[in-house]
Amino acid sequence: MTTDAIETTAAEIQARRVAKQNDQFRKTWGADFTIPGRIVTTQGVASLPFAAQVQIMGAVQTFDTFTEDNDPHADHSFGGFEIESEGETVKLFWKIDLYDRPYRYGSENPANTAETRRVLTIMQRHEY
């Protein structure tokens, strides 16, 4: 086995571990304290009616349509979806960024939950 093959395998293992943690954080809406983080929305999402925000929460929690196009790193850190609100289609994205404990810089060890803090951001597509 070459060094590149070993590194690829290690990267794939880390991506799978991060994907599992991202899924757990997202599906529990941050309630699993073993995977610390924050959930934020943009002004565009916050300005939507309460019923739309409930739909958004459910859509983010149940999202499972990962493809090579929307998940090229296989870490389940991004998704796009649509909801209907007051007769209008609302197009949204969610993304998870991985930070160090003080939320200043990117995490040096994303698979280590003791060192990593997640930020799940939900936004309307036009806000990206």
Side-chain angles (χ1 to χ4, degrees), residues 16 113 122:
R16 275 187 239 125
T113 57
I122 305 158

Side-chain angles (χ1 to χ4, degrees), residues 1 5 17-18 21 25-27 32 65 79 102 104 116 119:
M1 187 181 289
R17 187 174 296 140
V18 169
Q21 293 167 358
F25 181 75
R26 183 176 46 79
K27 289 177 181 183
D32 180 347
T65 315
R104 277 203 183 128
T116 302
V119 175

Side-chain angles (χ1 to χ4, degrees), residues 1-17:
M1 187 181 289
T2 67
T3 304
D4 287 342
I6 292 170
E7 288 176 15
T8 300
T9 302
E12 289 172 351
I13 290 168
Q14 177 166 308
R16 275 187 239 125
R17 187 174 296 140

Side-chain angles (χ1 to χ4, degrees), residues 57-128:
M57 180 179 170
V60 171
Q61 287 179 297
T62 59
F63 186 90
D64 65 358
T65 315
F66 295 103
T67 66
E68 284 188 29
D69 289 334
N70 69 13
D71 192 30
H73 304 292
D75 60 1
H76 294 191
S77 62
F78 179 86
F81 63 99
E82 298 177 356
I83 64 160
E84 293 295 320
S85 176
E86 299 181 336
E88 300 284 328
T89 300
V90 182
K91 298 177 180 185
L92 300 119
F93 288 135
W94 61 264
K95 66 184 191 93
I96 297 176
D97 294 303
L98 307 175
Y99 290 92
D100 61 5
R101 289 174 59 116
Y103 294 95
R104 277 203 183 128
Y105 305 106
S107 176
E108 291 187 20
N109 188 358
N112 184 333
T113 57
E115 297 177 22
T116 302
R117 299 296 178 263
R118 283 164 170 72
V119 175
L120 168 57
T121 305
I122 305 158
M123 68 197 82
Q124 291 193 45
R125 290 186 191 178
H126 68 81
E127 295 177 295
Y128 191 67

